[in-house]
């Protein structure tokens, strides 16, 4: 094999092909100064590529055409009258721009991410490594079943693993997110009553419910009806007063959003079942009970799995998710198509289910997320999954004990995988939960979930997950307690936080409602 020519020779050849007048490393003589703008004048603020643009800078060199003679001209009406207004930069400037931007990101790979009810756990790299293998990443969804037997087996087996973990009879992998799974679960219930010829209009939700629950109920055609919890728990006496023959289902997260296990869950399920309704389980907090308790054994009829929370997947930042749904046999005829089946040693897709709600996702779901979950379950095994929930619960209780003397903890019972603190003590110094959340950024941590659940004013929902070490938990608790001290001594410093980021505080409502995602040319 002939070795490639030295780099210097390659560049020289490239210059000779292009006329030798352009360099990727230096601007042309007489290049313009960068445009004046606000970002360039603010230290720490990364300007946009347009702001950095200088006339004459280039990042590519195109060889001279090898075609001799005249080619068919492009019609005049298709030719640009003026050059496209694109930024002009050298390759090094573009690479450094995006590298600097990447360093501004906070991720679970760079620090603890105690975002309550989101289970931002560390994602083992073995899951990424296997998911990126050519035989999996290169699959095409239009390949015939005979060419994808391995992929079908992976999904078939994953369904069985999730059935075992949850105690459900059947599982579909199709929904592409947790809320998508909620929507499907309620559509299954709606189809059940439709086929039965029974009109049910309401879905009950405790006041500790996730915010997506009432939205899913409404989108599924039901009226979302909230009822009060008692001491953070569902009270069977209260529930019995609101359940009637118009209730299609109750949506419950267990452990709930206060980090508490619903101790009366068996009684709750019995009350709803007596009236002919279903018990829907929001599986967002499944990480707390993996291998310890199965929703199917607790009276749940349908549950969604947030694979991206519980079973390792890059989570947050808009990455793809997966929200498989498990059901009891009563609802299985209505599951979406296609269903994966195994007959005479061959896997295939079954579209022939007459009562199905139909497709809810193109092809078979987010396959690469399913691969990661499959690897995660196999690599941990049944004992490993139990240890995950044990450590998640232990870590949350340890943190709560380390912080409870400096922050108000409204529910002091043993918590599950997360706990709630509030700013009640800090309000006296006119410092709020938002101020504390901003200040913890300066210590190298992502803020916890704040102002949720709504039943606790000034709530901070803290979920450390099982993947953080005691040293990291100690550092987080120490930082939070330092902030509590600081509020007594210098509250203005906390109110002005963060101090270590390019941007301080933005108007979050305007940023959400009116994001500026374009550059005015």
């Amino acid at each position: 094999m002939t070795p490639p020519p030295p780099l210097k020779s390659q560049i020289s050849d490239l210059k000779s092909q292009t006329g030798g007048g352009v360099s990727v490393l230096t601007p042309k003589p007489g290049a313009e100064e960068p445009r004046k703008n606000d970002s360039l004048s603010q230290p720490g603020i990364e300007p946009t590529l347009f702001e950095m643009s200088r006339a004459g800078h280039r990042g590519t060199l195109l060889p001279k055409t090898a075609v001799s003679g005249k080619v068919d001209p492009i019609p005049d009406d298709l030719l640009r009258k003026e050059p496209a207004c694109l930024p002009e930069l050298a390759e090094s400037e573009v690479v450094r721009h995006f590298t600097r931007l990447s360093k501004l990101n906070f991720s679970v790979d760079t620090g603890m991410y105690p975002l309550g009810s989101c289970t931002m756990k560390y994602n083992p790299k073995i899951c990424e490594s296997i998911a990126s293998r050519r035989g999996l990443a290169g699959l095409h969804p239009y390949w015939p079943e005979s060419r994808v037997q391995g992929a079908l087996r992976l999904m078939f087996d994953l369904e069985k693993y999730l059935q075992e973990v949850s105690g459900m009879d059947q599982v579909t992998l199709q929904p592409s997110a947790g809320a998508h799974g909620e929507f499907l679960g309620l559509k299954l219930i709606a189809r059940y009553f439709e086929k039965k010829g029974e009109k049910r209009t309401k879905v009950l939700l405790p006041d500790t419910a996730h915010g997506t629950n009432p939205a899913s109920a409404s989108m599924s055609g039901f009226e979302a009806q909230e009822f009060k919890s008692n001491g953070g728990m569902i009270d069977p006496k209260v529930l019995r007063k609101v359940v009637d023959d118009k209730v299609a289902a109750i949506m419950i997260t267990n452990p709930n959003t206060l980090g508490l296990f619903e101790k009366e869950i068996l009684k709750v399920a019995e009350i709803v079942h007596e009236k002919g309704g279903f018990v829907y389980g929001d599986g967002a907090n499944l990480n707390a009970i993996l291998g310890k308790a199965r929703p199917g054994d607790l009276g749940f009829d349908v549950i969604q799995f947030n694979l991206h929370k519980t079973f390792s997947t890059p989570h947050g930042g808009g990455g793809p998710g997966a929200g498989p749904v498990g059901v009891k046999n009563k609802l299985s005829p209505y599951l979406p198509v296609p269903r994966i089946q195994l007959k005479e040693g061959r896997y295939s897709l079954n579209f022939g289910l007459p009562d199905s709600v139909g497709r809810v996702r193109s092809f078979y779901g987010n396959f690469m997320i399913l691969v990661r979950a499959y690897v995660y379950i196999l690599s941990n095994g049944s004992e490993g999954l139990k240890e995950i929930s044990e450590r998640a619960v232990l870590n949350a209780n340890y943190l709560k004990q380390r912080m409870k003397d400096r922050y108000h903890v409204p529910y002091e019972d043993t918590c599950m995988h997360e706990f709630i603190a509030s700013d009640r003590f800090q309000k006296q110094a006119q410092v709020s939960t938002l101020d504390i959340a901003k200040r913890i950024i300066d210590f190298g941590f992502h803020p916890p979930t704040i102002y949720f659940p709504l039943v606790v004013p000034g709530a901070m929902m803290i979920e450390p997950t099982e993947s953080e070490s005691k040293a990291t938990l100690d550092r987080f608790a120490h930082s939070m307690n330092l902030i509590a001290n600081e509020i007594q001594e210098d509250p203005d410093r906390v109110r002005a936080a963060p101090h270590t980021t390019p941007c301080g505080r933005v108007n979050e409502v305007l940023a959400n409602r009116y994001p500026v995602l374009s550059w005015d040319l």
Side-chain angles (χ1 to χ4, degrees):
M1 182 176 178
T2 305
L7 179 60
K8 188 175 181 181
S9 173
Q10 293 183 55
I11 293 175
S12 176
D13 291 346
L14 193 56
K15 283 186 174 181
S16 65
Q17 293 175 37
T18 59
V22 178
S23 168
V24 295
L25 301 176
T26 56
K28 292 173 66 175
E32 292 180 0
E33 291 299 313
R35 301 173 190 176
K36 292 183 178 180
N37 57 76
D38 291 340
S39 297
L40 287 175
S41 62
Q42 297 180 46
I45 299 291
E46 180 64 21
T48 67
L49 291 177
F50 288 96
E51 292 171 314
M52 296 166 60
S53 175
R54 296 183 190 185
H57 284 213
R58 293 184 62 179
T60 59
L61 291 173
L62 300 178
K64 290 182 177 177
T65 177
V67 178
S68 60
K70 197 172 182 180
V71 296
D72 290 338
I74 300 173
D76 285 343
D77 62 330
L78 298 180
L79 288 174
R80 284 185 176 279
K81 305 305 181 211
E82 297 178 354
C85 187
L86 297 173
E88 298 176 64
L89 300 111
E91 179 180 302
S92 59
E93 294 171 313
V94 176
V95 170
R96 289 170 182 169
H97 167 75
F98 285 107
T99 301
R100 286 192 294 269
L101 283 180
S102 72
K103 291 181 178 178
L104 295 177
N105 281 340
F106 190 94
S107 73
V108 77
D109 282 349
T110 56
M112 181 177 166
Y113 214 120
L115 204 59
S117 212
C118 282
T119 313
M120 304 293 285
K121 62 169 68 178
Y122 176 76
N123 301 294
K125 294 299 175 265
I126 187 174
C127 302
E128 299 301 310
S129 175
I130 292 180
S132 64
R133 291 192 175 190
R134 185 180 178 186
L136 295 168
L139 285 176
H140 194 285
Y142 279 132
W143 278 9
E145 292 173 357
S146 61
R147 297 283 305 276
V148 294
Q149 285 293 298
L152 292 175
R153 176 183 172 181
L154 185 152
M155 291 190 288
F156 185 85
D157 288 350
L158 180 58
E159 286 184 355
K160 299 302 178 190
Y161 296 151
L162 295 178
Q163 287 172 214
E164 178 62 26
V165 166
S166 64
M168 292 294 166
D169 297 322
Q170 298 288 329
V171 168
T172 175
L173 304 175
Q174 285 196 31
S176 53
H180 193 188
E182 291 178 29
F183 176 70
L184 172 61
L186 293 172
K187 293 299 285 185
L188 298 176
I189 292 171
R191 176 60 64 91
Y192 170 87
F193 287 117
E194 178 189 337
K195 296 294 289 185
K196 199 176 175 185
E198 191 174 343
K199 184 68 174 176
R200 297 243 176 177
T201 58
K202 295 187 292 187
V203 168
L204 300 179
L205 306 112
D207 55 8
T208 57
H210 276 125
T212 52
N213 292 173
S216 297
S218 296
M219 287 186 65
S220 303
F222 295 109
E223 173 194 350
Q225 181 177 323
E226 183 181 284
F227 64 95
K228 296 289 184 185
S229 58
N230 185 359
M233 303 276 200
I234 298 176
D235 186 337
K237 294 178 183 176
V238 175
L239 178 64
R240 198 177 287 282
K241 293 178 182 176
V242 293
V243 176
D244 56 29
D245 58 6
K246 294 298 180 186
V247 171
I250 181 173
M251 296 186 80
I252 303 172
T253 306
N254 195 20
N256 64 27
T257 56
L258 297 170
L260 305 175
F261 188 85
E262 294 284 358
K263 296 176 181 175
E264 298 284 356
I265 186 62
L266 295 176
K267 188 66 178 176
V268 167
E270 179 184 327
I271 293 171
V272 176
H273 288 156
E274 282 177 354
K275 292 293 184 181
F278 287 94
V279 181
Y280 182 97
D282 183 331
N285 291 345
L286 186 63
N287 204 55
I289 57 173
L290 272 180
K292 294 293 183 181
R294 306 195 311 168
D297 299 335
L298 299 176
F300 288 91
D301 303 294
V302 54
I303 180 175
Q304 105 274 353
F305 305 83
N306 296 55
L307 294 190
H308 45 287
K309 292 183 179 182
T310 312
F311 299 104
S312 174
T313 288
H315 182 197
V325 169
V327 298
K328 289 294 190 179
N329 280 331
K330 205 171 182 179
L331 291 170
S332 62
Y334 315 108
L335 286 170
V337 291
R339 301 280 295 138
I340 304 168
Q341 61 185 11
L342 174 62
K343 284 186 177 180
E344 299 177 350
R346 303 291 294 175
Y347 297 92
S348 60
L349 299 172
N350 182 7
F351 291 85
L353 299 174
D355 292 330
S356 167
V357 295
R359 276 187 179 274
V360 297
R361 177 68 164 79
S362 57
F363 302 111
Y364 325 111
N366 279 331
F367 177 68
M368 301 312 295
I369 304 305
L370 306 181
V371 174
R372 289 174 170 89
Y374 179 81
V375 174
Y376 187 78
I377 291 173
L378 284 183
S379 59
N380 280 285
S382 58
E383 291 304 313
L385 294 181
K386 290 179 184 175
E387 191 175 351
I388 285 169
S389 58
E390 289 170 356
R391 289 195 178 193
V393 172
L394 179 64
N395 282 359
N397 280 281
Y398 179 72
L399 263 189
K400 187 179 73 170
Q401 291 300 315
R402 289 284 319 260
M403 292 173 53
K404 70 175 186 179
D405 292 336
R406 309 310 309 274
Y407 293 91
H408 173 240
V409 176
Y411 302 96
E412 296 189 0
D413 290 348
T414 301
C415 66
M416 296 297 288
H417 62 304
E418 62 191 1
F419 69 99
I420 304 293
S422 85
D423 60 0
R424 179 182 291 184
F425 298 161
Q426 288 71 34
K427 279 287 188 184
Q428 298 170 1
Q430 298 183 326
V431 172
S432 68
T433 283
L434 179 63
D435 301 322
I436 297 166
K438 295 293 185 184
R439 184 65 175 127
I440 196 65
I441 295 173
D442 293 332
F443 290 83
F445 296 99
H446 192 282
T449 298
I450 58 175
Y451 298 111
F452 184 81
L454 302 177
V455 292
V456 178
M460 291 178 276
M461 184 192 282
I462 300 171
E463 180 182 359
T465 81
E466 74 281 1
S467 54
E468 299 300 339
S469 68
K470 180 175 178 297
T472 301
L473 298 180
D474 284 336
R475 195 164 67 84
F476 179 79
H478 182 64
S479 301
M480 287 293 288
N481 291 338
L482 280 179
I483 294 172
N485 291 341
E486 195 174 48
I487 291 170
Q488 299 299 316
E489 300 164 1
D490 186 6
D492 286 343
R493 182 162 179 76
V494 179
R495 284 193 287 264
H499 303 282
T500 58
T501 58
C503 291
R505 302 196 185 195
V506 299
N507 186 319
E508 295 176 358
V509 174
L510 288 178
N512 184 45
R513 295 294 180 89
Y514 305 104
V516 180
L517 303 176
S518 61
W519 176 257
D520 186 5
L521 298 175

